[in-house]
Amino acid sequence: NPIIRDFDGELVNGANGEDKLVFATGLETGSFAYIGAAAFSGGGNSVARFVGVRQIEVDQDGDGTSDNAFLVDGVTNAGQLTATDFVWL
């Protein structure tokens, strides 16, 4: 999996993080939600979740299956990210 290093998100290394995880327009379906460590539901909307250690999975098309996965150094639990850390251009 690709690795993002030195990420300073909303709650990582302080409350004023400036980094964002940016995705291209057209890849998302419906609305987007960050669901923490919850399982994908296949509800038809794009979602992202934290799994394991440092790993983020993204269900872009809302079918309940991971379409993209990557590691983020420094993120050790689901509570260190929020929906504002993800941007769809």
Side-chain angles (χ1 to χ4, degrees):
N1 290 336
I3 300 174
I4 297 171
R5 300 189 190 281
D6 198 26
F7 182 77
D8 186 15
E10 185 72 23
L11 299 175
V12 176
N13 298 325
N16 295 317
E18 56 192 39
D19 294 336
K20 303 292 181 191
L21 301 167
V22 180
F23 299 86
T25 298
L27 295 178
E28 81 280 6
T29 300
S31 61
F32 171 77
Y34 172 65
I35 58 173
F40 290 146
S41 66
N45 292 309
S46 297
V47 295
R49 69 178 180 177
F50 178 85
V51 294
V53 178
R54 305 182 304 155
Q55 184 164 322
I56 306 299
E57 290 184 343
V58 180
D59 176 6
Q60 293 171 203
D61 56 11
D63 68 353
T65 302
S66 176
D67 299 304
N68 197 338
F70 52 91
L71 302 174
V72 182
D73 278 352
V75 177
T76 58
N77 68 72
Q80 290 179 288
L81 295 172
T82 68
T84 61
D85 289 314
F86 298 82
V87 176
W88 296 85
L89 296 179

